[in-house]
């Protein structure tokens, strides 16, 4: 009885700290996503200006994973992108990511703007406690050069060469193209 009371008192003492901790983790993850998205968008715009969509495909193929790896090493978070229609099968969503994106789709159908879709939570995966963070990636006009419905033949050829199993086309402006997904072992 005394042990139960001590455990209850200890857990109650921890509860007020946990929301603040979660808010800090969420803010840190959001800052990483902002950095990742900003760097990637800057490189994509430069590639589009200098070499068009085919050059931009190379940025996504080579620089996006490199930026994610750099941020992962620098921050201690596992940083990635995924989609319900992945371009690269190796970036297919996990069960948690799939569920988050399907929830985001429901929220969009109810009128929530894609740019506002975020989820942050503590989960247990494979016996480990992880803080997970996801933010929707809205499809912008720039994205349609490689992710839209009317792709130029040279863009289609470059995609087929780098991504033979590509499913990441057919998007319209404002669609959720995927998510930035971060996790950190706690």
């Amino acid at each position: 009885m005394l042990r139960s009371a001590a455990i209850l008192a200890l857990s109650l003492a921890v509860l007020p700290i946990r929301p603040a901790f979660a808010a800090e983790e969420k803010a840190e993850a959001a800052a990483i996503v902002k950095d990742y998205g900003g760097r990637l968008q800057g490189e994509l715009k430069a590639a589009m200006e200098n070499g068009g969509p085919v050059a931009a495909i190379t940025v996504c193929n080579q620089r996006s994973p490199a930026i994610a790896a750099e941020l992962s090493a620098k921050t201690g978070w596992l940083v990635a992108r995924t989609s319900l229609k992945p371009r690269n099968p190796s970036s297919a969503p996990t069960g948690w990511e799939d569920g988050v994106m399907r929830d985001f789709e429901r929220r969009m159908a109810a009128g929530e703007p894609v740019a506002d879709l975020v989820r942050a939570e503590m989960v247990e995966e494979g016996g480990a406690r992880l803080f997970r963070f996801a933010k929707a990636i809205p499809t912008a006009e720039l994205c349609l050069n490689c992710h839209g419905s009317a792709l130029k033949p040279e863009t289609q050829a470059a995609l087929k060469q780098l991504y033979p199993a590509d499913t990441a086309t057919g998007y319209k402006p404002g669609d959720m193209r995927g998510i930035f997904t971060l996790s950190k072992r706690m």
Side-chain angles (χ1 to χ4, degrees):
M1 174 80 168
L2 184 58
R3 182 170 186 234
S4 296
I7 291 171
L8 177 61
L10 183 59
S11 67
L12 291 175
V14 173
L15 285 176
I17 296 169
R18 199 162 291 290
F21 172 75
E24 289 172 14
E25 296 298 313
K26 183 177 178 181
E28 182 181 352
I32 294 166
V33 164
K34 185 175 181 180
D35 186 13
Y36 184 15
R39 288 172 61 185
L40 183 57
Q41 187 175 39
E43 291 195 29
L44 284 169
K45 283 182 179 178
M48 285 293 294
E49 290 171 6
N50 295 324
V54 173
I57 293 167
T58 302
V59 168
C60 276
N61 180 263
Q62 296 173 6
R63 287 296 302 144
S64 181
I67 294 168
E70 289 167 18
L71 289 170
S72 294
K74 176 182 168 186
T75 65
W77 289 79
L78 178 61
V79 180
R81 295 180 307 158
T82 189
S83 175
L84 292 172
K85 293 173 30 176
R87 177 145 280 168
N88 185 341
S90 69
S91 64
T94 65
W96 183 84
E97 293 162 342
D98 186 270
V100 167
M101 287 186 282
R102 296 201 186 279
D103 176 59
F104 284 1
E105 286 180 330
R106 285 188 290 279
R107 290 166 56 188
M108 287 172 51
E112 194 168 343
V114 66
D116 294 347
L117 298 171
V118 175
R119 164 111 41 105
E121 62 190 4
M122 189 74 70
V123 299
E124 187 155 327
E125 293 180 9
R129 287 178 44 94
L130 302 173
F131 190 87
R132 298 292 315 249
F133 180 88
K135 177 154 181 41
I137 301 172
T139 303
E141 285 293 331
L142 176 69
C143 308
L144 299 178
N145 289 291
C146 303
H147 292 282
S149 296
L151 305 181
K152 294 179 180 176
E154 61 271 17
T155 303
Q156 290 175 344
L159 287 171
K160 186 173 182 158
Q161 180 182 10
L162 289 172
Y163 305 105
D166 181 23
T167 61
T169 58
Y171 290 98
K172 300 179 298 302
D175 284 349
M176 177 182 66
R177 200 173 69 259
I179 59 172
F180 291 105
T181 177
L182 284 73
S183 63
K184 185 176 187 180
R185 188 178 278 260
M186 304 313 290

